[in-house]
Amino acid sequence: MSSSIPPLTLDSIRSVPKVLLHDHLDGGLRPGTVIELAEAHGYSALPSTDVAELGRWFREAADSGSLESYLETFAHTCGVMQTEDALVRVAAECAEDLATDGVVYAEVRYAPELFVERGLSLDAVVEAVQAGFAEGERRAADQGKFIQMGTLLCAMRQHARAQEIAELAVRYRDHGVVGFDIAGPEAGFPPTRNLDAFEYLRTNNAHFTIHAGEAFGLASIWEAIQHCGAERLGHGVRIVDDIKTDPDGTVHLGRLAGYVRDRRIPLEICPSSNVQTGAASSIADHPIGLLARLRFRVTVNTDNRLMSGCTVSSEFAALVEAFGYGWADLQWFTINAMKSAFIDFDRRLDLINNVLKPGYAPLV
Ligand SMILES: O=c1[nH]cnc2c1ncn2[C@@H]1O[C@H](CO)[C@@H](O)[C@H]1O
Ligand SMILES: [Zn+2]
């Protein structure tokens, strides 16, 4: 490595352009904002009103070893996101924080149905979040940072509103909503419960990803791809269950793993989140090492920045430490993500050629 190439540190990683495809709006609030919104809106159930302590509480409570208990922490973020002004603020800060981390394109997701407890309509929720993202993009630009935000609307697997949310996503497709997802507890709620919604989306040429292969295995991935028609997999890490390695290192891909790799189906991998929910035992043992080596379409994501205390840069830094990745690997993850985004092809190409490649060119 030439001496003019900077070493990979959290700071240097922050300075290169990055792309984020899997980040939950209600999993990325600043702890201080949770406290201020709780105070302003009379939400009294917070476990702490001290900023540092509350941040620690989220990380520890999410560090639970199960997806179900990890998801319980969202009661407190959703609890303070029930008004338009709260949604605008949270969305604006999300865009600002991602831009500060050097993210140039992000798809951020949330479930509108979780923000209607105080009477907001689903449309009002979407409009407030879009206004917030636009405000955050402007604030970032004022600080000399460029970020483009895209929105994914989630339906919750345990509820029965997928069709309604799919229609909402299509209604707002020309206003910043670029796709759809289903989230929530995986065991017991197969994606095939929502087949009508997926068929509606496909009929309307709309994009969608599905959380699958996180807490549950291959069956869930297979259903998401072959029954539902998911273009990407949220997590998808359990695809490793269909990969066998001989003692001599020879690798065998099963039919499903082969299909996922051959079709270049993007995996939205979220390393720290997987360690917290027990989907992986540590970053060093995370299947991302094998999947990247086998050239699956791997992307690196945060999932929930508040619950994991992470950023895209810190996830990259953790992978650099665990797997010895260099700048070329980070560029590969980043271009993989940009290729897999749900925005128009010419816009993706523009960002790859005019933002991402020039950003990494001095380093690779
Ligand atoms: O890793 C995950 N797997 C499944 N569901 C999740 C994950 N992270 C967050 N959510 C769920 O998605 C909702 C919408 O943003 C959140 O409220 C949370 O319940
Ligand atoms: Zn997720």
Side-chain angles (χ1 to χ4, degrees):
M1 194 186 267
S2 130
S3 60
S4 62
I5 294 184
L8 292 121
T9 63
L10 192 53
D11 274 341
S12 63
I13 293 172
R14 240 182 238 131
S15 72
V16 290
K18 290 168 296 294
V19 172
L20 174 58
L21 298 181
H22 190 131
D23 184 87
H24 293 257
L25 183 67
D26 51 338
L29 285 76
R30 300 174 186 170
T33 298
V34 179
I35 292 167
E36 285 177 29
L37 290 176
E39 237 162 51
H41 298 299
Y43 179 84
S44 57
L46 284 189
S48 168
T49 52
D50 175 80
V51 175
E53 222 174 277
L54 185 66
R56 200 171 328 113
W57 182 87
F58 273 108
R59 292 191 298 278
E60 285 172 5
D63 215 357
S64 58
S66 100
L67 178 58
E68 283 72 13
S69 43
Y70 174 94
L71 292 177
E72 283 170 16
T73 59
F74 287 79
H76 298 300
T77 53
C78 294
V80 303
M81 294 171 72
Q82 300 297 331
T83 62
E84 281 170 340
D85 61 328
L87 290 168
V88 171
R89 174 172 175 181
V90 169
E93 291 179 354
C94 168
E96 251 186 315
D97 291 352
L98 294 179
T100 301
D101 190 43
V103 174
V104 295
Y105 175 76
E107 289 179 1
V108 173
R109 63 188 74 194
Y110 64 95
E113 68 204 60
L114 298 177
F115 306 135
V116 298
E117 282 171 20
R118 293 202 186 180
L120 288 184
S121 66
L122 294 173
D123 290 66
V125 169
V126 174
E127 282 166 32
V129 172
Q130 289 312 126
F133 284 156
E135 169 63 21
E137 287 172 343
R138 273 192 299 273
R139 282 187 211 160
D142 288 345
Q143 295 159 33
K145 299 255 178 198
F146 166 81
I147 185 164
Q148 179 179 343
M149 300 293 288
T151 305
L152 305 182
L153 299 186
C154 305
M156 298 304 293
R157 311 176 92 105
Q158 70 275 33
H159 300 165
R161 301 185 74 169
Q163 176 67 26
E164 209 181 340
I165 304 303
E167 288 170 16
L168 189 68
V170 168
R171 198 149 68 242
Y172 282 91
R173 70 192 335 181
D174 293 327
H175 306 279
V177 175
V178 300
F180 174 87
D181 168 44
I182 54 167
E186 195 172 357
F189 300 102
T192 41
R193 279 165 54 102
N194 306 298
L195 280 181
D196 289 355
F198 298 125
E199 188 172 351
Y200 169 82
L201 291 164
R202 290 197 309 272
T203 305
N204 283 280
N205 304 305
H207 298 286
F208 60 94
T209 175
I210 296 181
H211 273 80
E214 175 187 22
F216 214 64
L218 291 176
S220 171
I221 295 178
W222 177 75
E223 282 188 14
I225 295 170
Q226 306 300 9
H227 274 269
C228 306
E231 282 175 68
R232 307 195 309 229
L233 292 169
H235 299 285
V237 277
R238 297 306 342 142
I239 197 65
V240 289
D241 297 346
D242 200 33
I243 302 173
K244 302 280 172 279
T245 307
D246 291 342
D248 72 354
T250 311
V251 175
H252 304 274
L253 268 58
R255 298 267 180 218
L256 181 62
Y259 186 91
V260 167
R261 189 172 71 161
D262 291 345
R263 295 294 302 267
R264 316 306 297 139
I265 294 175
L267 305 176
E268 303 162 2
I269 303 278
C270 310
S272 292
S273 167
N274 289 161
V275 173
Q276 288 182 292
T277 62
S281 54
S282 68
I283 301 279
D285 292 323
H286 195 287
I288 191 171
L290 176 65
L291 294 168
R293 202 163 71 241
L294 295 174
R295 287 303 188 248
F296 279 75
R297 175 71 73 80
V298 175
T299 70
V300 175
N301 301 276
T302 47
D303 210 12
N304 298 293
R305 287 170 287 117
L306 173 63
M307 286 73 180
S308 297
C310 71
T311 62
V312 184
S313 297
S314 75
E315 291 297 282
F316 270 167
L319 294 175
V320 165
E321 194 184 328
F323 299 103
Y325 291 142
W327 290 114
D329 300 300
L330 303 194
Q331 175 178 248
W332 182 74
F333 288 126
T334 303
I335 290 181
N336 275 350
M338 198 67 250
K339 285 179 177 171
S340 311
F342 285 158
I343 48 168
D344 296 345
F345 173 73
D346 42 7
R347 184 66 182 138
R348 281 182 273 153
L349 208 56
D350 173 34
L351 288 168
I352 289 173
N353 288 329
N354 299 317
V355 179
L356 302 181
K357 285 189 173 167
Y360 286 86
L363 305 167
V364 295

